[in-house]
Amino acid sequence: MPETIRRIKLPGGETLPALVESGSAPAPEPIRYAISILRNAGRAENTIEAHMRAIAAARAWARSNGLSLEARMATGAGLELREVESLSHALKATRVADRTVRPLEADVLPLSRSGKEAHRRLPHDRDEMLEPRTGANRVRFAAGYLDWLASHNRAAGSRELLRGTVEALAARAKVGTRQASEPRKGLSPEQRDRLFAVIDPSSPENPFGGEAVRYRNLAVVACLDESGMRRGELSGLKIPDIDFGKLTIAIHRRPPDPRDPRQEKPKTKTGARPVPIGPDLADILFAYLSVWRRAEPAARMHGYVFVSHGGRRPGAPLSPRSVGKVFDSLERVLGFRLHPHLLRHTWNDRFSAAIDGKAERGARTPEPSEERIRNFLMGWSPGSKMAAVYTRRHVERAAEAALSGMHEGLFEGE
């Protein structure tokens, strides 16, 4: 019987995507992996679901070939290279867990470790293959599951043998993927200044009608800009999360609130953490809460900070989608690309500049410490590589500026 993905409710009210077999019970090993590795690392529900779908696809491939991934890893046998290549191809196919998977041919030849030659031999139907990055992620997620299975094998020598299976499958995640993309960019200082000039409630260019909406949207933009939080985190903020005395905002990972009337519930993808804010943002938030939000009677029925003003449900909590619409309206006026997550990138650019500023004043921050601080403030796990992405972007910018200055110095006399 095909396995399905269902969201099960945990005792605290949190929901967890789980791989369910035989129409009722969660599959034992995948549910243990979801809880012990993915959930405990702070992965978002949608991310856990993507992992579960990859594992379901891998298990479907195994069933079609008369084997069990869990049994192979438990006995230390692992997968042969021809099986690794077949599994990789199956994972990159569309809807592999929802259809019959073609069994592995018995006369498939052994493959090179890179798999490139075998990849050319395999039958390819372009209409049935996932977008390359999506397929590569499926392979990577399945390799992570096999690695976890391998880590539980205590037999002498088995873990080293199983490492070959995991590494061979992980290598297939690189086949057909795009080259490394340009590091993520935030707004330039000029674009950021322009954004705040337009979002000013008194600006004639402000695209929003009504003082309440204008002040709320100023608070929304200022909050995202100064904290670097995601829009789901912003939509989930509650009034007690703001400490005006300590000048902090606490971002929490909360289970879905059954009393929340929004169809699209806010989700905190990253880890819980306190975020420092400046007095200007504190003043903006205090004014919004004490004047504009307080004027909406329905807002007293819940504790969410940002609410609707006007429309069909005044006072209702603001949805993540509505936050996106605020930025869509601003983008049309500003004339450059703008979305809520771009302010998260902008925060990281400013953080890098602040670290460099300290170094110029003689207070250099070691790179490991910089990454730990950035990971904490962004809510990433301590071992996350995301901080390195933003550090690389800033280093490249500094290098470009240095080369530009050198070029001008070389040719200024011509």
Side-chain angles (χ1 to χ4, degrees), residues 23 42 48 168 170 179 183 188 227 234 242 262 266 297 338 363 407-408 414:
I48 296 176
Q179 296 297 318
S188 69
S227 68
L234 179 99
I242 305 173
R262 290 172 286 192
L338 185 69
H407 184 274
E408 291 174 2
E414 293 187 357

Side-chain angles (χ1 to χ4, degrees), residues 92-348:
K92 294 175 183 177
T94 58
R95 304 197 313 167
V96 66
D98 302 324
R99 60 182 174 82
T100 302
V101 183
R102 182 174 55 198
L104 179 65
E105 298 294 337
D107 59 351
V108 175
L109 297 175
L111 309 176
S112 65
R113 193 162 188 81
S114 70
K116 292 181 180 178
E117 181 61 32
H119 188 71
R120 286 193 289 269
R121 296 179 197 170
L122 285 168
H124 292 276
D125 185 342
R126 292 185 181 273
D127 294 333
E128 291 188 359
M129 302 307 291
L130 293 168
E131 187 273 330
R133 186 168 295 275
T134 303
N137 280 339
R138 264 191 175 179
V139 174
R140 184 165 55 86
F141 294 162
Y145 177 62
L146 293 185
D147 188 39
W148 176 77
L149 291 172
S151 69
H152 288 76
N153 192 302
R154 304 299 183 206
S158 290
R159 292 183 67 176
E160 189 62 32
L161 292 173
L162 294 176
R163 175 60 51 187
T165 291
V166 174
E167 290 179 352
L169 183 58
R172 269 66 181 176
K174 302 174 185 178
V175 176
T177 58
R178 297 191 295 248
Q179 296 297 318
S181 59
E182 182 182 1
R184 299 168 178 182
K185 300 179 184 178
L187 296 175
S188 69
E190 296 76 18
Q191 288 175 325
R192 183 168 174 259
D193 290 343
R194 174 76 176 132
L195 167 62
F196 277 97
V198 169
I199 198 62
D200 187 315
S202 63
S203 170
E205 293 185 276
N206 192 305
F208 307 106
E211 286 187 312
V213 173
R214 288 190 171 201
Y215 276 92
R216 181 204 65 196
N217 291 347
L218 169 63
V220 164
V221 171
C223 199
L224 290 171
D225 173 78
E226 186 158 329
S227 68
M229 69 177 70
R230 298 172 181 270
R231 73 168 117 179
E233 295 169 339
L234 179 99
S235 301
L237 280 184
K238 293 189 174 183
I239 295 173
D241 296 337
I242 305 173
D243 191 324
F244 291 101
K246 295 181 179 178
L247 292 180
T248 59
I249 293 177
I251 299 174
H252 297 284
R253 285 183 66 92
R254 293 187 175 101
D257 186 352
R259 297 168 296 178
D260 188 343
R262 290 172 286 192
Q263 285 188 337
E264 182 189 6
K265 302 289 193 294
K267 295 176 181 177
T268 301
K269 183 176 181 179
T270 43
R273 73 274 185 196
V275 177
I277 61 174
D280 289 343
L281 176 56
D283 289 345
I284 291 171
L285 289 170
F286 185 81
Y288 172 67
L289 292 172
S290 59
V291 178
W292 309 111
R293 186 189 183 282
R294 189 176 183 180
E296 298 289 356
R300 301 171 192 168
M301 305 298 293
H302 61 82
Y304 293 101
V305 172
F306 297 104
V307 303
S308 297
H309 299 281
R312 293 182 298 174
R313 303 183 65 185
L318 195 67
S319 70
R321 183 171 300 176
S322 296
V323 174
K325 290 180 178 179
V326 169
F327 281 75
D328 291 341
S329 297
L330 288 168
E331 183 179 73
R332 287 191 287 270
V333 174
L334 293 167
F336 53 78
R337 188 165 179 257
L338 185 69
H339 53 84
H341 206 78
L342 196 60
L343 295 187
R344 189 169 169 87
H345 302 327
T346 306
W347 184 97
N348 276 280

Side-chain angles (χ1 to χ4, degrees), residues 3-7 17-20 49 52-53 56:
E3 296 173 325
T4 59
I5 307 295
R6 293 185 184 176
R7 299 205 175 200
L19 184 58
V20 177
E49 181 171 339
M52 290 298 102
R53 292 197 180 281

